[in-house]
Amino acid sequence: MTYQAAPDRGSVQTSAIILIVVGLMCGGMIPSIFGIIALAQMDTDIDSARRMNRYGWISAVILAGLAILAILLYIVVFVLIMGAAFLPFIFGA
């Protein structure tokens, strides 16, 4: 029989609080909801709270990636539109 160490309650709580703050400040409600659920489940089931923290951080990374992708897409479209708008002035038409 192997002994598994109990997860540290303080680290789970700290991670959940940071997840809530990051989620609310960056505009992603999904990570904040996972952080709140993790805080609520900490007293009853610490493993479930750790899982909710993990899911929250994964969703925060996915949302950040989508935001970066949207910004890059906006910049590319803006450059293409502005480039096409100024094309007649460049060629002297």
Side-chain angles (χ1 to χ4, degrees):
M1 185 189 309
T2 59
Y3 173 74
Q4 293 180 351
D8 184 22
R9 180 179 160 84
S11 66
V12 173
Q13 184 176 13
T14 304
S15 178
I17 292 171
I18 292 172
L19 183 62
I20 293 169
V21 171
V22 167
L24 288 175
M25 291 185 71
C26 295
M29 289 302 295
I30 296 172
S32 298
I33 291 171
F34 279 120
I36 291 169
I37 292 171
L39 278 179
Q41 289 181 345
M42 221 167 46
D43 292 332
T44 58
D45 188 10
I46 194 76
D47 289 329
S48 179
R50 285 180 51 222
R51 214 174 312 120
M52 288 296 137
N53 268 338
R54 188 178 322 123
Y55 295 156
W57 284 112
I58 290 170
S59 66
V61 168
I62 289 171
L63 287 175
L66 288 174
I68 290 171
L69 191 65
I71 290 169
L72 288 175
L73 183 68
Y74 176 78
I75 290 171
V76 167
V77 168
F78 184 72
V79 167
L80 288 176
I81 290 173
M82 291 306 290
F86 286 117
L87 204 57
F89 297 116
I90 293 173
F91 290 115

